[in-house]
Amino acid sequence: MSAVTMSRAVRRRWWWTLWSLLAVLATGITAYFVPPYLVGGTTVPGLDMSIPGYYVSLVFHAVPAGTALLVGPWQFVPRLRARFPRALRITGRVYLISVVAAAMAAAYSSAVTPSGPTLQVAFFGLIVAWLYTAAKAYRTIRRREVQLHRIWMVRNYAFTFAAVTLRLYQLAGLQLMGVMPSLEYRDVYASSAWLSLLGNVLVAEYFIVQRTLAPLARRRSAEPDEALPRQAEALSQQ
Ligand code: HEM
């Protein structure tokens, strides 16, 4: 096996490992957090039912958001895209409609949540970023700009996946509260939301640069620069 084939095989194995982790976490978080809202929410600890419309907005948020979280990873599998293009177009539409519906419901939940302004600002930031990247993903695919569409979908799913990283950070924060009694749950919640938003953006941008921009830049610098001989000629004539 040549070095090039081997590095491709290693990269492919890495890709599948990361993709599997993404899909398992997305499925696990949806399966654990969404169903309690479908059966009245009475089993959700600390859920304030006295705030008008809060519980209903969470149902209208969690169901489509969970759908987007579940559907998202499959949109990134190249083999599925090649074999079932029609099905992937339909699930792509389901994904984007789910994001818009979930974001609209989340706007109400964010406005009335009793969890405080630091969290509210993070959630409103997420909503704007979620809708903006969804609109960009939609516009680029309508114009058949497939590469750009892929980039905007990676960015958009990074925000969808904030639902997973938020809960992982919250879990870590709860452990930290055990050893730092001065730490309050409200602070853990708000900092987890900010960390999930910023951390996921960084990971998505790293992924985009590594997979899309770096190969393009390398190809560009390997090509002979046609402008250089012309510039040299112009200089020699001065
Ligand atoms: C990325 C954009 C998202 C935004 C802006 C957002 C926003 C919100 C807001 C404001 C709340 C209410 C929180 C509170 O009052 O304490 C909430 C709760 C919730 N969200 Fe999201 N969310 C997003 C993504 C998702 C996704 C992808 C899922 C998929 C599972 C999801 C599932 C839930 C659930 C189940 C709740 C109820 C609270 C809980 O049980 O943890 N959200 N979300």
Side-chain angles (χ1 to χ4, degrees), residues 17-31:
T17 310
L18 287 179
W19 183 87
S20 307
L21 188 68
L22 190 91
V24 166
L25 284 172
T27 310
I29 290 290
T30 306

Side-chain angles (χ1 to χ4, degrees), residues 2 22 70 93-94 108 148 150 159 174 208:
S2 76
L22 190 91
L70 287 178
R93 271 187 209 139
V94 169
Y108 184 82
L148 279 177
R150 232 172 263 162
F159 294 123
L174 287 177
I208 289 165

Side-chain angles (χ1 to χ4, degrees), residues 29-224:
I29 290 290
T30 306
Y32 186 80
F33 285 96
V34 177
Y37 289 87
L38 305 178
V39 291
T42 47
T43 55
V44 179
L47 178 62
D48 193 341
M49 290 283 198
S50 66
I51 303 169
Y54 181 50
Y55 168 69
V56 176
S57 75
L58 287 180
V59 175
F60 279 97
H61 163 66
V63 173
T67 307
L69 197 58
L70 287 178
V71 166
W74 303 95
Q75 299 298 117
F76 295 109
V77 181
R79 210 174 299 166
L80 285 182
R81 271 206 312 265
R83 284 194 65 182
F84 310 105
R86 228 177 96 80
L88 270 272
R89 257 200 305 271
I90 294 169
T91 48
R93 271 187 209 139
V94 169
Y95 175 89
L96 286 176
I97 291 168
S98 301
V99 166
V100 174
M104 277 160 44
Y108 184 82
S109 326
S110 306
V112 300
T113 181
S115 301
T118 317
L119 186 82
Q120 284 174 304
V121 174
F123 276 141
F124 277 119
L126 258 174
I127 290 167
V128 171
W130 215 18
L131 288 174
Y132 181 75
T133 51
K136 282 292 210 184
Y138 181 71
R139 274 189 79 178
T140 45
I141 201 59
R142 295 297 296 173
R143 291 178 182 166
R144 306 254 179 275
E145 296 166 340
V146 177
Q147 194 77 3
L148 279 177
H149 170 70
R150 232 172 263 162
I151 289 177
W152 284 109
M153 281 299 283
V154 168
R155 287 183 176 140
N156 186 269
Y157 195 71
F159 294 123
T160 307
F161 203 72
V164 173
T165 44
L166 163 74
R167 285 165 182 92
L168 295 181
Y169 295 138
Q170 269 181 299
L171 208 67
L174 287 177
Q175 303 302 313
L176 211 60
M177 279 171 74
V179 288
M180 285 175 68
S182 61
L183 204 58
E184 286 182 24
Y185 178 69
R186 184 182 264 245
D187 299 327
V188 167
Y189 194 6
S191 40
S192 300
W194 278 105
L195 205 57
S196 63
L197 166 57
L198 299 174
N200 286 18
V201 167
L202 282 181
V203 172
E205 292 307 315
Y206 176 81
F207 184 80
I208 289 165
V209 168
Q210 286 300 311
R211 274 188 69 101
T212 312
L213 301 184
L216 270 180
R218 266 185 230 119
R219 216 174 304 149
R220 229 348 188 358
S221 51
E223 280 168 7

